[in-house]
Amino acid sequence: MKYLSTFIVAIALSISAFSQAKLPEVQIQNIDFETFNTLNIKNDGKPIIISFWATWCAPCKAELNAIADEWPDWEETGVKIYIVSIDNSRSVNSVQPYVYGQDWPFITLLDVNSEFRRAMNVNNVPHAFLLNGKGEIVWQHNGYNPGDEEELLELVHKLNAGEEI
């Protein structure tokens, strides 16, 4: 019984720690290959989405296209979306032409050395994080099924309404 109680307390503490987790400081690059500090991921107190993706990942592109297709609904929430490519040094040069070709309204970042990905414990893509207006990670999701973007948009609305997630 003692071990069960300890286990429950440990789980509760880890959930609490997760819900208040902040972004790690990592130097990556923007789409123009300029240095970008992840502490500059901000949105003036409004929600932020960080989505890890890659040009070779079909579900990643499907998710980002689904959000882009409904962008006016997202834009009115004030959410800012950062997409972090995990393409490596061999494929990173295909990111900029692909993003510009898609005309995505997102802020694109490059994590060529996977330092940000490792710091965020991202093992597979797509992997999305939702941050509240204080920059705290309040939700994350791995994978993509059509309709997942609607759930994410609903969570953004909840954050804007001041609800807990």
Side-chain angles (χ1 to χ4, degrees):
M1 186 67 173
K2 180 179 176 184
Y3 294 113
L4 180 61
S5 297
T6 303
F7 178 73
I8 291 171
V9 168
I11 293 294
L13 288 174
S14 66
I15 290 171
S16 175
F18 166 74
S19 66
Q20 297 175 357
K22 295 266 187 175
L23 290 179
E25 180 176 5
V26 179
Q27 300 289 331
I28 56 178
Q29 297 174 316
N30 66 19
I31 196 165
D32 296 319
F33 298 96
E34 299 167 336
T35 300
F36 182 90
N37 187 319
T38 55
L39 292 182
N40 290 322
I41 294 177
K42 296 178 181 175
N43 191 18
D44 296 327
K46 295 182 179 172
I48 298 168
I49 295 171
I50 300 173
S51 181
F52 285 84
W53 74 289
T55 55
W56 44 262
C57 171
C60 301
K61 294 187 283 189
E63 178 179 43
L64 296 175
N65 283 330
I67 293 172
D69 287 347
E70 303 295 329
W71 182 243
D73 294 338
W74 291 80
E75 189 174 32
E76 71 182 20
T77 67
V79 69
K80 193 178 278 188
I81 300 178
Y82 291 83
I83 59 172
V84 181
S85 166
I86 64 162
D87 284 86
N88 63 23
S89 60
R90 286 185 283 177
S91 60
V92 72
N93 288 328
S94 64
V95 173
Q96 188 184 58
Y98 186 82
V99 168
Y100 288 161
Q102 296 298 314
D103 197 28
W104 285 338
F106 317 126
I107 300 166
T108 304
L109 301 172
L110 309 172
D111 188 23
V112 178
N113 296 323
S114 297
E115 293 175 30
F116 190 38
R117 181 175 66 94
R118 281 192 297 275
M120 297 289 286
N121 282 328
V122 172
N123 295 316
N124 300 309
V125 288
H127 194 129
F129 294 87
L130 176 61
L131 285 66
N132 63 19
K134 297 175 189 171
E136 299 166 338
I137 298 168
V138 295
W139 179 89
Q140 64 176 300
H141 180 77
N142 186 253
Y144 174 71
N145 287 308
D148 285 351
E149 71 280 1
E150 295 167 15
E151 176 188 352
L152 183 53
L153 181 58
E154 185 176 315
L155 293 172
V156 169
H157 284 298
K158 285 183 178 180
L159 282 179
N160 281 340
E163 296 179 31
E164 295 280 329
I165 295 178

